[in-house]
Amino acid sequence: ACTTTRALVPGQYLCSRQTTLPAALRYSWAINGTHITFEITANADGYVGLGFGGDTPATPMLNGMAWIGFCDVGGTIMDVQEYNFNGRQPVATGAILSDASCLDTGLTTTVRFTRTLAAPNAQSFDIMPDTPMTMIWATSENDALGQHAVADRGANTVDLDPPISGPCVVGGDVVQGQYQCSFTTPTNGLSFQWSVSQTQIAFQVSAQVVGYVAIGFAGPIAATPMVNGQAIIGFCGPNGGQPTLLEDFVFNGRQPIAGLNQSISNTFCFDDGTTTTVQFTINLRGGDFDIGIQGPQTMIWATSGSDAVAQHAANDRSAGMVDLSADGMVEDDGDDDGDDVCFSGSSMLTLKSGEKKAIKDITIGESVVVTAEDGSLSHGKVVFLPHTKGNNHKIRFLELTTNKASRIQLSRKHLILANDCGKDSEFELYHASDVTTEMCLSGVDGPEKVIQIGRVRGEGIYSVITDHSHGLIVVDGLRASSFAVNHGIVNAFYHIHRCAAKVLPKFFFEADFVVSAHQQLGKVAQAVYSLF
């Protein structure tokens, strides 16, 4: 997944990983037959370090090695070197790092370098992409070598050249019209769906424009991702069919140059007068550029009202970190689900009367369909709404789609009943982020196979608490918990509300101060729970 046959270019990477550090360190890399090139970025104003652990798993830094780099905002100080650790003491190996650079924005530090896979001297070491290795990392707020904080370091086992894997990856060939993953961009509403194999990726790109749609991969300069990047641009006339144009371009600066050799196949375009949709399959390797799949990569996209390759409007383009092997967008405008753990406001509940009603419109006192742990259905009266009605939280939801056309949008840590699709397998509560396309959800009429997992933008976060003691409800025809993170603890907490609802009036639970106090208590509880 991370190897190319072409020369390595700093800023163009095929694989990347995001660590769980508070400093949010991310490292990206690409490999050819003789060299490896790295980029290390962290929310730190001092040094960033990345390397390989020693032979003691409990203390991986001991007798390990690392590349450590730092610089100041003005660029007057820069140091990027390779070190061995004599115990915990760094000792420079003297290895030559080519293409070394450092950028400190005052908020983040980014270090780049290229090194030979073979040890350049006796003090250095061989890098073995085909052997899993213990990767270590650290950050600091100091522009000098020194002890980092305990929380600002970590380690895990990394395969530097793994096979492509993840929920967006299929076992055989990709097939147009059959997609594993999707998301909609936050700016111009362009949406794309895709599936990945070990050699190709199949895309469907759609936007509400009568003109071109474009999607591609950023150039090496983070601040101007379109410059020297690549994109596939397509459009067609009314009634669709074969596209008028569907070609791959590179940007000489910002100028698109066509006629590349990227082996686009299975092309199709449809323009219905309001929306343009293009489909294509593209090779991951062997063309004029390599496509990075494993881990977050910077992608670019744009739309235009013109059926010609021309300048788009400034607000009709954007860029973001996308993991094409996993579940879509990693970061963009910061509207992640964060501490918000519930359903999309458009999620539908079923009332006792059989009528469907959006969860954002549900009121205290209404009866909705709920479920017990044994799967039996009944009705529960809503006794509390944990989120303010009319809230406009803008977040990214996971969207799970099943083979029976059920579709549910929920935050990553929300709990939903699922199993491995085995005939005798019991349904258990899983975090939405742990559900894969190899699993089934619990529908009201039986198991439903997950066929697609995507990321969508939504507005409003909602859930309902009913007087049913099991705390399980039916949302969009699927059985799920009313809660996130830990069902047992949270459901036990809401027994207080269920008891209080028997003696306190409805308006007490609708009062803004009650909802606000409850939300603050919930944040404290989440913070405490995360410590264990």
Side-chain angles (χ1 to χ4, degrees):
C2 311
T3 299
T4 179
T5 57
R6 63 184 75 246
L8 300 178
V9 178
Q12 297 181 0
Y13 306 103
L14 297 177
C15 292
S16 67
R17 292 192 67 153
Q18 183 93 27
T19 75
T20 55
L21 272 174
L25 181 144
R26 180 175 65 243
Y27 56 97
S28 307
W29 70 97
I31 305 165
N32 64 15
T34 58
H35 289 74
I36 185 167
T37 186
F38 275 108
E39 177 182 273
I40 314 165
T41 299
N43 294 333
D45 194 27
Y47 72 70
V48 295
L50 181 74
F52 300 103
D55 52 9
T56 308
T59 54
M61 178 179 170
L62 293 180
N63 302 319
M65 62 72 52
W67 301 285
I68 301 175
F70 57 85
C71 52
D72 62 356
V73 174
T76 58
I77 302 173
M78 190 188 85
D79 188 80
V80 182
Q81 292 194 57
E82 179 181 289
Y83 297 86
N84 278 330
F85 292 109
N86 183 7
R88 295 179 183 273
Q89 185 65 34
V91 178
T93 68
I96 295 175
L97 303 178
S98 59
D99 302 317
S101 67
C102 179
L103 175 65
D104 184 343
T105 67
L107 297 173
T108 63
T109 297
T110 299
V111 170
R112 291 176 175 175
F113 60 88
T114 301
R115 212 212 78 170
T116 57
L117 295 175
N121 59 36
Q123 289 71 45
S124 192
F125 59 95
D126 294 334
I127 300 174
M128 298 173 288
D130 56 351
T131 302
M133 305 177 75
T134 299
M135 188 74 79
I136 57 175
W137 57 84
T139 65
S140 170
E141 294 300 315
N142 298 316
D143 282 332
L145 292 181
Q147 182 67 37
H148 52 73
V150 174
D152 291 339
R153 57 98 175 97
N156 64 7
T157 301
V158 175
D159 185 344
L160 288 173
D161 194 21
I164 298 171
S165 62
C168 305
V169 180
V170 298
D173 296 331
V174 293
V175 178
Q176 282 294 355
Q178 298 179 17
Y179 307 108
Q180 296 293 104
C181 294
S182 68
F183 78 78
T184 301
T185 67
T187 49
N188 53 2
L190 180 146
S191 64
F192 61 93
Q193 301 171 279
W194 71 97
S195 290
V196 182
S197 72
Q198 297 298 312
T199 59
Q200 292 184 314
I201 183 167
F203 273 116
Q204 176 175 290
V205 188
S206 181
Q208 291 187 350
V209 295
V210 182
Y212 73 68
V213 294
I215 190 169
F217 301 89
I221 305 172
T224 54
M226 177 180 170
V227 174
N228 299 325
Q230 304 95 14
I232 295 88
I233 303 174
F235 57 84
C236 54
N239 303 320
Q242 288 302 309
T244 305
L245 175 77
L246 185 57
E247 289 191 67
D248 49 326
F249 294 78
V250 294
F251 295 104
N252 181 8
R254 296 179 184 272
Q255 183 65 34
I257 300 174
L260 302 182
N261 180 32
Q262 198 60 31
S263 301
I264 294 178
S265 60
N266 301 321
T267 58
F268 179 79
C269 180
F270 185 76
D271 180 347
D272 65 3
T274 60
T275 300
T276 297
T277 299
V278 299
Q279 295 177 343
F280 59 91
T281 300
I282 189 168
N283 291 345
L284 301 180
R285 301 287 188 274
D288 289 273
F289 58 92
D290 293 334
I291 298 176
I293 295 297
Q294 203 72 42
Q297 309 287 335
T298 302
M299 295 192 68
I300 56 177
W301 50 82
T303 62
S304 171
S306 173
D307 278 338
V309 178
Q311 180 67 38
H312 50 71
N315 60 349
D316 287 338
R317 58 97 177 97
S318 192
M321 297 296 295
V322 180
D323 188 341
L324 290 172
S325 67
D327 62 353
M329 183 161 287
V330 177
E331 61 182 43
D332 52 6
D333 53 358
D335 62 339
D336 206 344
D337 49 13
D339 293 331
D340 298 325
V341 281
C342 277
F343 301 100
S344 164
S346 61
S347 299
M348 303 300 290
L349 303 186
T350 304
L351 303 182
K352 188 175 183 178
S353 63
E355 175 190 355
K356 305 288 185 181
K357 190 171 185 179
I359 194 170
K360 64 184 177 63
D361 298 323
I362 293 291
T363 60
I364 292 176
E366 291 187 287
S367 290
V368 298
V369 175
V370 298
T371 182
E373 293 178 354
D374 63 5
S376 61
L377 301 178
S378 59
H379 299 98
K381 185 173 72 173
V382 176
V383 297
F384 189 65
L385 302 173
H387 300 282
T388 306
K389 287 187 68 64
N391 74 77
N392 61 351
H393 290 255
K394 294 180 176 63
I395 69 170
R396 293 196 301 272
F397 292 100
L398 279 178
E399 183 177 74
L400 309 179
T401 304
T402 76
N403 62 339
K404 296 183 179 179
S406 296
R407 182 178 285 112
I408 186 169
Q409 296 176 6
L410 65 176
S411 57
R412 292 174 300 173
K413 291 299 181 182
H414 209 94
L415 294 159
I416 187 167
L417 284 163
N419 67 11
D420 61 4
C421 297
K423 181 178 179 181
D424 299 320
S425 179
E426 293 186 2
F427 284 97
E428 299 178 359
L429 288 170
Y430 286 82
H431 292 134
S433 59
D434 293 329
V435 174
T436 72
T437 52
E438 301 299 318
M439 300 174 72
C440 288
L441 303 181
S442 179
V444 293
D445 295 320
E448 300 189 19
K449 178 76 163 53
V450 177
I451 60 172
Q452 183 171 292
I453 300 172
R455 299 295 293 274
V456 296
R457 298 303 179 279
E459 183 171 313
I461 51 170
Y462 292 88
S463 188
V464 298
I465 311 302
T466 75
D467 59 2
H468 193 273
S469 62
H470 287 198
L472 302 172
I473 57 177
V474 175
V475 181
D476 294 317
L478 300 168
R479 293 177 169 89
S481 170
S482 286
F483 317 116
V485 184
N486 186 298
H487 180 83
I489 293 175
V490 183
N491 189 48
F493 167 75
Y494 277 108
H495 287 330
I496 300 171
H497 297 66
R498 295 178 179 115
C499 291
K502 297 177 180 180
V503 295
L504 294 175
K506 172 184 173 182
F507 68 79
F508 174 81
F509 293 98
E510 295 175 330
D512 289 342
F513 80 91
V514 174
V515 177
S516 178
H518 169 272
Q519 290 172 349
Q520 294 304 314
L521 179 61
K523 290 181 179 180
V524 171
Q526 272 191 270
V528 172
Y529 182 83
S530 67
L531 297 175
F532 297 94

